[in-house]
Amino acid sequence: MEEPSFEKHSLEKRPQQGAPGPAPAPAPPALRASDADRDRFADILRNAMAEGRITAEEHSERIGEVYRAKTLGELEPLVSDLPQAGRAEPAAPARPYEASVYSPGAAPAENLVAVFGGATRKGRWRVSRRTNAFALFGGIEIDLTEAVFEQQEIVINATAVFGGIEIRVPENVTLRSTGTGIFGGFDVKTVEAPDPDAPVVSLAGFAVFGGVDAKPKRGKRLKNLRAGG
């Protein structure tokens, strides 16, 4: 009687070296970034500049990329060299703007549209974190000299097509720009406020056969930078 071959039986069950395993699951598509995601990354850049980790020029360049990003994958590289990126850390102490009874950043973006007409925003008004201004064969005036800032950094996306957008800010706030003129002018007189707690107005967008003009208004200053008014 022939004895069973245990060696042969065990070899048959042993998987062959180099045999392909189960196919990996397909990678999920890139997640679209929300306005809240962009604002979160903008806060990281703001804190990094306040700590001296990046320069004002680097901040201006990156903040423009943040608000142009469409996916989280585009946002991550912009803060990958900063300590707060990619991991949970204790929240930074609230700035005076965030101590307001109004919820900063909770309000939706404000839209100003002028098509063959005009739109104006001035006087005592509460500035949203994001403002979209679109002028087509029309004009828009945005006056921030008496506005109330409920967060330190606001972004204005200005698009002028055969139209014009005029923006005025107080003398003692920071004014930056990443906008572009295409057969038109995107003229911004950039200013860096000496006070690190001063509001920051960042302009993005473009002008096509039109113009965007932004600069400080002489003699207009915020009386209390930390209170935003």
Side-chain angles (χ1 to χ4, degrees):
M1 183 173 179
E2 195 174 307
E3 295 183 1
S5 175
F6 295 101
E7 181 180 358
K8 181 179 179 180
H9 182 71
S10 61
L11 287 175
E12 288 176 351
K13 289 189 175 183
R14 187 180 305 167
Q16 296 180 358
Q17 294 295 328
L31 294 177
R32 303 287 290 192
S34 66
D35 286 345
D37 291 325
R38 296 183 187 92
D39 292 339
R40 177 166 53 87
F41 280 81
D43 287 340
I44 294 175
L45 293 175
R46 182 197 68 195
N47 292 335
M49 187 183 68
E51 294 170 356
R53 298 181 186 275
I54 59 176
T55 65
E57 291 76 15
E58 289 173 319
H59 177 274
S60 178
E61 179 181 348
R62 295 190 191 193
I63 201 71
E65 294 294 330
V66 162
Y67 285 103
R68 284 192 292 269
K70 295 181 179 180
T71 67
L72 292 176
E74 295 175 41
L75 288 170
E76 290 291 349
L78 299 174
V79 297
S80 60
D81 58 344
L82 301 177
Q84 292 186 5
R87 61 177 182 273
E89 291 191 354
R95 287 181 173 269
Y97 304 94
E98 298 172 342
S100 168
V101 295
Y102 298 90
S103 177
E110 181 169 1
N111 297 312
L112 297 174
V113 180
V115 180
F116 291 98
T120 303
R121 202 73 166 93
K122 62 182 180 180
R124 190 75 173 173
W125 59 292
R126 299 187 182 279
V127 186
S128 298
R129 184 182 288 270
R130 292 173 61 86
T131 298
N132 301 315
F134 176 75
L136 174 63
F137 291 102
I140 295 177
E141 178 187 0
I142 300 176
D143 189 336
L144 300 171
T145 57
E146 297 180 12
V148 176
F149 293 82
E150 294 181 343
Q151 49 273 320
Q152 187 180 26
E153 183 161 2
I154 69 168
V155 175
I156 299 177
N157 290 309
T159 303
V161 182
F162 291 99
I165 300 175
E166 181 182 286
I167 301 166
R168 296 294 178 262
V169 303
E171 288 184 317
N172 55 340
V173 306
T174 293
L175 180 61
R176 299 176 184 148
S177 171
T178 58
T180 304
I182 305 171
F183 295 107
F186 205 102
D187 301 318
V188 179
K189 185 177 181 181
T190 58
V191 177
E192 289 294 327
D195 191 324
D197 285 321
V200 177
V201 179
S202 296
L203 299 184
F206 57 89
V208 181
F209 292 105
V212 174
D213 180 80
K215 62 183 178 182
K217 191 170 184 178
R218 187 182 297 274
K220 292 290 186 177
R221 300 174 64 86
L222 291 182
K223 296 179 182 179
N224 188 344
L225 291 173
R226 291 161 182 78

